[in-house]
Amino acid sequence: MSEHELNRVEILAQVDDGRLTVDNAANMLDLTRRQIFRLLKRFRQDGASAIRHKARGKPPNNRIHHAKRDYALSLIKES
């Protein structure tokens, strides 16, 4: 997990324990109250692993096909 995600988990754990209010957590994480409640729901259901980014390890949706990339690079190198 990244430092940012670990910080989120720590703050959500404090909210879950009642040591921190939702408003304070929203200000600390620069999120809305609604988003805090959504994160807190996932945190309670699946634990800290639910907070990590879901697309980690997956290729991006806007990736360029290898053949197109190689062709573009060959055109650039020629000029």
Side-chain angles (χ1 to χ4, degrees):
M1 291 183 109
S2 69
E3 187 69 31
H4 179 72
E5 291 168 339
L6 289 173
N7 187 35
R8 277 187 169 193
V9 169
E10 182 180 332
I11 290 174
L12 288 173
Q14 290 177 5
V15 172
D16 199 29
D17 292 341
R19 293 180 285 154
L20 194 62
T21 66
V22 173
D23 288 325
N24 288 340
N27 288 333
M28 292 172 73
L29 295 176
D30 196 29
L31 298 171
T32 62
R33 284 176 47 91
R34 174 181 162 79
Q35 188 64 27
I36 294 295
F37 283 117
R38 292 173 67 197
L39 286 172
L40 197 55
K41 180 180 176 182
R42 282 195 351 220
F43 177 74
R44 287 176 177 158
Q45 286 177 349
D46 301 324
S49 63
I51 303 304
R52 76 170 182 82
H53 199 276
K54 301 296 182 206
R56 179 172 293 155
K58 295 181 182 177
N61 292 333
N62 63 347
R63 70 181 179 267
I64 298 172
H65 192 270
H66 294 295
K68 285 184 182 179
R69 182 180 174 277
D70 293 342
Y71 178 69
L73 287 175
S74 68
L75 289 177
I76 292 171
K77 289 178 184 176
E78 286 177 6
S79 31

